[in-house]
Amino acid sequence: MRRVVIAGNWKMHKTQAESLEFLQSFLPKLENTPEDREVILCAPYTDLGMMSKNLHGTRVRLSSQNVHWEESGAFTGEISPAMLTEVGVTYAVVGHSERRQYFGETDETVNLRARAAQKAGLTPILCVGESKEQRDAGKTETVISEQLKADLAGVDLSRLVIAYEPIWAIGTGDTCEAKEANRVIGLIRSQLSSGDIPIQYGGSVKSSNIDEIMAQPEIDGALVGGASLDPEGFARIVNYQSV
Ligand SMILES: O=C[C@H](O)COP(=O)(O)O
């Protein structure tokens, strides 16, 4: 039975004060959230320690937005697995398209990060997805297959979440049609030796479209960017209506 995993990726938003204000409004809205839904917040590094203290004893889990593959070293701006586990982080987003686009992330480094995360006891949330040009050229399946093959080499599939995030849907309001997202996620699942891996959809998920997205049989959750910044709106996404 696959888990439902709803994660909010705050990206470069929310100071510690803003994060605390978010939690104070968000947490009470989870009182009736079904227990089988995993709720994760992917916060900036600076907020993780404070958030961990305020989330202790709640059902909300913490994720970083990246993780380095070395235990320590001269890697300016990076963060090690131990720095994350020490403050109670249990997930790590790896391979987000913005890291691939702006910070030279490659399938090779994504794979290193995923394996290092697992070695430290973190669960990677691996992001894959095609660009508009690749989709328009009919290359979606090929691109994602190649990403999966390279990113998942030596990765333990029993401790993994995958997020299908078409790049052209990220931050644009141009959400992928739910049935198309379901088709692609079905293709992703067909290439995995384990059928129990939760596979999320990400890309302009909002409170207005979450019910339709989650009604799709292959979709196990969402990786939400902009719409996760507002406690009310993200609570509505977490509390989506099952059909
Ligand atoms: O990690 C989240 C994805 O980049 C989606 O972001 P978005 O919901 O703002 O489109």
Side-chain angles (χ1 to χ4, degrees), residues 64-195:
S64 70
Q65 299 174 18
N66 186 33
V67 60
H68 200 270
W69 57 88
E70 294 290 352
E71 290 180 9
S72 62
F75 306 105
T76 302
E78 287 282 347
I79 194 160
S80 75
M83 292 171 184
L84 296 173
T85 54
E86 183 184 44
V87 294
V89 171
T90 52
Y91 286 87
V93 174
V94 295
H96 192 283
S97 61
E98 288 153 6
R99 297 214 52 89
R100 295 176 193 253
Q101 181 181 0
Y102 301 128
F103 301 102
E105 195 77 271
T106 65
D107 285 322
E108 182 190 5
T109 57
V110 169
N111 179 252
L112 288 169
R113 295 181 195 274
R115 286 190 285 122
Q118 289 188 331
K119 187 179 171 190
L122 296 164
T123 299
I125 300 175
L126 168 68
C127 300
V128 295
E130 80 285 2
S131 67
K132 183 168 184 344
E133 295 72 24
Q134 291 165 333
R135 172 164 283 268
D136 291 348
K139 294 180 177 175
T140 296
E141 292 78 356
T142 304
V143 166
I144 290 174
S145 296
E146 288 170 356
Q147 283 182 327
L148 288 171
K149 186 166 182 280
D151 297 351
L152 291 179
V155 170
D156 178 355
L157 300 187
S158 68
R159 293 187 296 131
L160 176 70
V161 175
I162 294 175
Y164 167 56
E165 295 207 313
I167 296 170
W168 48 272
I170 295 175
T172 62
D174 183 15
T175 316
C176 181
E177 286 290 323
K179 288 194 184 319
E180 171 60 4
N182 186 70
R183 181 189 73 84
V184 176
I185 289 175
L187 285 172
I188 291 172
R189 199 179 308 284
S190 70
Q191 297 180 42
L192 303 170
S193 57
S194 162

Side-chain angles (χ1 to χ4, degrees), residues 9 11 96 98 165 169-171 202-205 223-226:
N9 178 10
K11 304 187 180 181
H96 192 283
E98 288 153 6
E165 295 207 313
I170 295 175
S204 295
V205 173
L223 183 54
V224 185

